[in-house]
Amino acid sequence: EFAVSMLDEFANNILDRVTQIKYGLADGDFAALALAAHALTGVAGILGAKPLGNLCEDLDHAANDNDLALIKTLVDQLVSEIQRCQIALPELRNELSRSNRHDRNCLLPNR
């Protein structure tokens, strides 16, 4: 049940985090952008979503370095990766609900 609740939490909050990141980019508020990216890094790590976590970590660092060009590239990549994760979520949630297994090391598919 913990894994399912984590997936639900991710699904319910992911778009808010992306919005925070996009607003941070648009407003030049790299501190807010870094904070939102850092929060996503943690969630991605818990879920075992390594590609998402790596992007968020890179975005966090780019924001702390004020690297606007890299931030823009990473935000585009992040949006694509989140869309990929969102597509996988319903099937994964159903699988976890059916199996009720707690021994999964990776909840979201890696590339």
Side-chain angles (χ1 to χ4, degrees):
E1 296 299 319
F2 175 74
V4 173
S5 69
M6 288 302 299
L7 284 176
D8 289 343
E9 182 73 19
F10 175 80
N12 291 334
N13 293 314
I14 191 68
L15 294 180
D16 289 339
R17 293 287 185 204
V18 172
T19 299
Q20 291 170 349
I21 288 169
K22 287 181 176 180
Y23 281 147
L25 176 59
D27 295 343
D29 187 350
F30 296 151
L33 190 152
L35 186 63
H38 185 78
L40 277 179
T41 303
V43 173
I46 291 168
L47 295 176
K50 291 178 185 177
L52 178 61
N54 291 340
L55 277 170
C56 292
E57 186 174 355
D58 291 346
L59 185 56
D60 184 5
H61 292 301
N64 287 323
D65 292 341
N66 294 320
D67 188 340
L68 182 59
L70 182 56
I71 290 170
K72 288 179 179 181
T73 298
L74 291 171
V75 168
D76 290 341
Q77 292 174 9
L78 178 68
V79 169
S80 294
E81 182 62 20
I82 287 172
Q83 289 171 344
R84 190 184 72 79
C85 289
Q86 287 179 305
I87 291 168
L89 283 173
E91 181 179 337
L92 181 58
R93 187 184 191 292
N94 289 336
E95 179 184 324
L96 286 172
S97 294
R98 283 192 308 270
S99 69
N100 200 21
R101 293 187 326 183
H102 299 282
D103 59 346
R104 297 181 62 99
N105 291 326
C106 180
L107 299 180
L108 289 176
N110 292 312
R111 290 184 192 177

